Amino acid sequence: PDFEKQVSDAGIDRGLYERMSEERALKTALSDKITTQLLAGPVEQREVSYVAATIPEKDAEQVQVSHILFSPKDDPNTAGDLDDTDPAWAAAEKEANDLIARLKNGSSFENEAKKSDDKTSGADGGLLAWAPKGTYVPEFDTAIWANDVKHNDILGPIKTQFGYHVIKFDARRPSLKDRLDELATSLAAAGVDFKEAAATATNTIEELTFASPGYVPKYTVNPELGVVVWGLKAGGTSAVVESSNTYLIVHVDGVETRELTADQITGIKASGFSIWLDLYRSAARVAIDGAVVQEAGASPTP
């Protein structure tokens, strides 16, 4: 009676509750059976190395510039409140033009940046971070994204709501994805030592990290990434793949049948069944109202 009252109070049909309980019991039994099979070693493992980079919120072509700012009354925060006829604007423009003359005569941009009213970038020689189009106010953005701008060009004075900018153009580079596509091609070339080349690449692509976790069994790797790893032969290198908001280039150093380590056993006990089930679902033939929406694939074997 107490059980029936609790089920009734929860608004759950008893028959439904019993069917749900049966399904949970079946899933538990299946999980136990599959996990036992996954733990039966030795198993095929793959020695993996990879490079990874977090996917930017906006992955696009970027430019990098340095700038020196001259604000009316030396205050970029209040410049936009001043009327255009205020003499402080003319004074700031003269400072910017005087700087350009000094730069043409050989003065150091980095040293001159110490006088910038943008104190943050000024302390770093005027350098601004790599940025995609649309990062800065329109007047600044238009100047640095002009098609004919090249390395070390001096632009300006460029007037914005903050004052007059003198800009030194550094470089333009492709999106992170495009740079990694190029890297993946070079890493996959014959005779390339993946580990050495990948570690070196982290010095030129600052977003990149390199890792070599060693041998991994199939059911400790998330299914999305596992498809990539188990699709490669020994010595194979993947194209750029996306997984969990990360760009990856994966390399399989070797393939061996090995006993599971204690850490691998712990990992399989924790998530092996879930990984196997995801792979099983992705291999199932699915039809909705008689129309096939997913063809059957190869069912995963524990």
Side-chain angles (χ1 to χ4, degrees):
D2 290 341
F3 169 78
E4 292 180 354
K5 184 176 187 304
Q6 290 171 4
V7 171
S8 176
D9 289 347
I12 302 173
D13 176 77
R14 177 164 182 162
L16 174 61
Y17 182 87
E18 290 176 347
R19 288 195 297 274
M20 291 170 60
S21 297
E22 290 173 359
E23 288 176 2
R24 284 195 296 269
L26 287 171
K27 185 174 182 180
T28 298
L30 179 61
S31 175
D32 291 343
K33 181 177 180 179
I34 294 298
T35 300
T36 297
Q37 294 180 49
L38 297 181
L39 292 171
V43 299
E44 181 185 290
Q45 301 190 34
R46 298 190 171 222
E47 186 182 11
V48 174
S49 299
Y50 63 89
V51 290
T54 300
I55 300 176
E57 184 176 343
K58 182 178 182 181
D59 190 15
E61 186 179 19
Q62 298 176 321
V63 297
Q64 186 171 51
V65 300
S66 298
H67 85 133
I68 298 173
L69 174 64
F70 295 99
S71 299
K73 299 184 179 180
D74 301 324
D75 188 352
N77 296 316
T78 60
D81 299 329
L82 296 177
D83 190 273
D84 286 344
T85 61
D86 192 300
W89 277 105
E93 183 179 18
K94 182 178 185 305
E95 286 186 282
N97 281 314
D98 288 346
L99 169 61
I100 290 175
R102 292 196 300 275
L103 293 173
K104 289 180 178 178
N105 288 326
S107 184
S108 164
F109 193 97
E110 290 71 21
N111 288 337
E112 293 282 1
K114 296 174 184 176
K115 305 169 187 174
S116 177
D117 289 323
D118 178 356
K119 301 304 180 185
T120 300
S121 68
D124 195 23
L127 187 65
L128 298 174
W130 285 98
K133 195 170 188 177
T135 298
Y136 303 113
V137 292
E139 303 90 343
F140 194 101
D141 226 45
T142 298
I144 64 176
W145 282 95
N147 290 330
D148 57 347
V149 180
K150 58 185 183 298
H151 178 62
N152 279 341
D153 276 357
I154 300 297
L155 313 176
I158 305 297
K159 184 181 180 183
T160 72
Q161 67 200 60
F162 305 107
Y164 284 93
H165 305 257
V166 176
I167 304 168
K168 183 178 74 169
F169 186 86
D170 182 17
R172 184 178 298 193
R173 70 182 184 186
S175 68
L176 178 58
K177 174 62 163 54
D178 287 343
R179 285 180 281 143
L180 293 182
D181 282 338
E182 184 177 348
L183 174 63
T185 299
S186 67
L187 290 175
V192 171
D193 184 313
F194 181 89
K195 290 182 180 179
E196 181 179 334
T200 299
T202 62
N203 296 324
T204 55
I205 303 178
E206 67 271 20
E207 300 97 331
L208 205 61
T209 60
F210 167 71
S212 186
Y215 279 94
V216 294
K218 187 172 186 177
Y219 295 100
T220 59
V221 181
N222 80 65
E224 187 178 52
L225 186 54
V227 169
V228 177
V229 174
W230 264 260
L232 295 170
K233 297 179 180 179
T237 301
S238 75
V240 178
V241 294
E242 298 182 22
S243 177
S244 303
N245 198 39
T246 302
Y247 288 136
L248 292 160
I249 303 171
V250 181
H251 179 81
V252 171
D253 301 296
V255 179
E256 289 185 12
T257 298
R258 301 164 64 93
E259 294 290 349
L260 295 167
T261 67
D263 286 343
Q264 290 171 345
I265 290 172
T266 299
I268 289 172
K269 287 181 177 178
S271 58
F273 174 70
S274 295
I275 293 171
W276 178 88
L277 188 58
D278 283 344
L279 290 171
Y280 191 88
R281 285 169 175 156
S282 67
R285 182 180 184 272
V286 180
I288 298 176
D289 295 331
V292 176
V293 296
Q294 177 176 290
E295 295 290 352
S299 296
T301 302

